Structure formats: C-alpha cells, structure tokens
Amino acid sequence: MADAQVIPFDDDRSRGSRRKGGPARPARAGDVQPLPVRGAAPRDDDPEGGESPGPQRPAGDHGDVDGAEDGRGDGGLERRVAGGLSFLRRRLTGDYDVDDFGYDAELTDQVLMSLLRPVYEKYFRVEVKGVENIPAEGGALIVANHSGTLPLDGLMMQVAVHDHHPADRHLRLLAADLVFVLPVVNELARKLGHTLACAEDAERLLGQGELVGVMPEGFKGIGKPFGERYKLQRFGRGGFVSTALRQGAPIIPCSIVGAEEIYPMIGNSKTLARLLGFPYFPLTPTFPWLGPLGAVPLPTKWTIQFGEPIPTDGYAPEAAEDPVLMFNLTDQVREQIQHTLYKLLVQRRSVFF
C-alpha cells in the first residue's frame, strides 16, 4: 500500500466554547410534609413526652419526588427536552467545540455513540475484559488485531472504552487514508476522533495525553480470507512501537474475537477492486448475491480483551531508532495478542452465543 498522505481538513470551522444547557428545573415538592421535629415540647395529651409525630401521609404516596429523581416524572422529561433543544441550537448556530483533528466530543457522546451502542450491546453483545489495564490518565497506545472485511471492530473497541472505562476515556483511532477520501465517512470519522495513521498525528495525540488506538495489520488483516481467520498478519515495520517509545507511552495489547465471522470472505474480486479503487472487493456467502441484504453482518458474539500494559518509559530516547528493539517489542505485542486470541477461542462456546 502506498505511503499515507496527510489529508488537509478545514481550518475555518467554528471553534466556539462548549456551553452547558440551561439550569436544571428544581424538583417540585409536591405533597411532601416537614419531618417531625425532634426535641419538641411534649403535648398535654402525651403523658410520656416523646416526639411529636407530625402530619402523616398515606402509605405509598410519594408525590412527584420519586418521579423527578429517576427522570420519569414531568421534570425529567422537561429537562431532556430542554437539553435536546439546547443541543440542536448549538449545532445550528455553530456554537460547539472541535479540536485540531476535527474531533467533536459533544456530537460523539450524545449522538454517534448512541447510534453505535445498540449494535454493540444488542446485536454483537460485546463482552469486555481487562478494561482496568487501560490507564486512567496520560497517553497510551492500544494495539489490536484487525478483521471482519469492514472495520466494525475499531468502532466496537471505541464504544467498549467509552462505556466501560471508569475514567470515561475516549479512544482516538488511527485510520487508513482511504477512510478520509470517502464521502460522508470522512466527516463522520473526523467527528468520532479518528485521524490519519501516520507517526506525526499519533505522536501529537500521545503527547497531549490521549488514548490512541491502532491496528497494525491494516488491509492485510481486515481483507484476509475466511480460512485464515484469527491468524495475525505482519505488523508492518513496527512504526507504532517507535511512536510509543518516543512518547514513553505504554502499549496495551487488545484481542478481539467475533469480528472474523461477521462477513465470511470466501473470495476477492480483484477486477472490481481496481475499478473502484479499493484494496479488495469481498465476496461472501451473502454479498453481493443478496444485494443490500447481503451487506448486513452476521450477529456473532464478540469478546474484547485488553491485556496488561507493556511499559516503554524505561528506555533511552535513542531507543526509538534501534531496529532490533523495535522488532523485539513488535513481536512481543503480536505474540501476546495471538496467544490471547487462541485462549478466547478455546473458551468460546459458539460463534453466535
């Protein structure tokens, strides 16, 4: 594959500060009465003194308080509507913030993740393991296997980090240059925080303390035949290791099981791939024979496991230029991912449950 080229993106987009929605509506008191006052003077008809019982409410009568607290009452509905209208106003007026790479945190949290979450939770039923191995702060590089014909594994990994990490971290994926020349896909990828898979962007994100994800197999992994499933391809020339060494960022191996079977690739039409400018054109048991219906992925059961971090901050600065060290670390990461894949496959009961 040709060397990636940096794709320029707009510099004139609005970068206004993000504002929070209007003040939340206070919960209504309803019929709630004051609590009894301890230590009040005894009444004439209470010879033993004691506490004044105060007015009593019928059992089970909670007024509007419970509904307001759990968001099911009128107050909760009004707050959601007000928040939605405030979000739409900011989008229409351009009063929202994006970073230099085009990442839109508000749109990702409130819209894009909400669209991906049902696929993650209900369709693929992703099980996440080892998320505690991802540091709570600071730059780190997650390295994962790549498979599935279409890059859904990267999106599911992004949802896994977003929804399960206790520090609510966001994963910034490095993507191939093809992603940034496709209409619509280009803009959505930028909004989700993806950027070009080049050393400059990766080092800059790590230097800013971001959590960065990379899949070194590239098109060799995602476009491999079904017969070679879960067999890792070559991890390039170890550029991700050099990047991590320069920034002293830990490398976190990640193994994904379940993506290989969503589009069983039994063939590759190289002629159509050349005509369309794609690295491959997949032929599966359903695509393109069933038309658009054949593009629906199979509902496999997924597991994503994050391994123990491999530290890099103990190496000297010139270690990033040592080819032997880069080869050894690359091989260590690859072997750890491959071993975990085999382990998860042995534990898996079925492809679909």
Side-chain angles (χ1 to χ4, degrees), residues 220-301:
K220 299 188 302 295
I222 196 174
K224 64 178 177 288
F226 185 66
E228 299 180 12
R229 59 192 180 278
Y230 298 115
K231 297 178 181 178
L232 293 183
Q233 305 299 301
R234 192 172 66 92
F235 270 21
R237 294 185 292 272
F240 69 92
V241 171
S242 177
T243 300
L245 286 170
R246 286 192 178 93
Q247 295 297 325
I251 299 174
I252 303 168
C254 176
S255 303
I256 303 174
V257 166
E260 292 275 17
E261 296 89 0
I262 62 174
Y263 295 111
M265 186 170 167
I266 58 176
N268 177 20
S269 177
K270 296 181 180 180
T271 302
L272 286 175
R274 283 195 300 269
L275 290 174
L276 297 174
F278 295 160
Y280 57 89
F281 187 90
L283 303 176
T284 75
T286 58
F287 182 83
W289 330 114
L290 299 183
L293 184 61
V296 178
L298 297 178
T300 58
K301 174 72 169 64

Side-chain angles (χ1 to χ4, degrees), residues 47-123:
E48 297 184 10
E51 297 176 358
S52 174
Q56 300 295 320
R57 297 178 59 205
D61 182 10
H62 300 292
D64 295 332
V65 174
D66 290 345
E69 288 179 352
D70 60 16
R72 291 177 296 176
D74 293 340
L77 176 61
E78 289 182 12
R79 282 194 296 271
R80 289 196 297 270
V81 172
L85 292 175
S86 177
F87 172 78
L88 289 176
R89 183 175 64 252
R90 290 194 297 274
R91 308 314 297 186
L92 293 174
T93 60
D95 187 16
Y96 57 91
D97 189 30
V98 296
D99 69 5
D100 293 338
F101 297 93
Y103 173 50
D104 190 332
E106 183 184 45
L107 183 67
T108 297
D109 290 340
Q110 299 193 23
V111 178
L112 300 180
M113 285 295 162
S114 299
L115 295 176
L116 292 171
R117 194 167 289 117
V119 180
Y120 173 91
E121 294 179 348
K122 306 299 183 183
Y123 197 78

Side-chain angles (χ1 to χ4, degrees), residues 120 125-132 156 159-161 164 301-306:
Y120 173 91
R125 294 147 291 143
V126 181
E127 179 184 0
V128 180
K129 300 179 180 181
V131 72
E132 67 277 1
M156 295 301 102
V159 178
V161 174
H164 293 276
K301 174 72 169 64
W302 288 36
T303 301
I304 300 178
Q305 179 163 335
F306 299 96

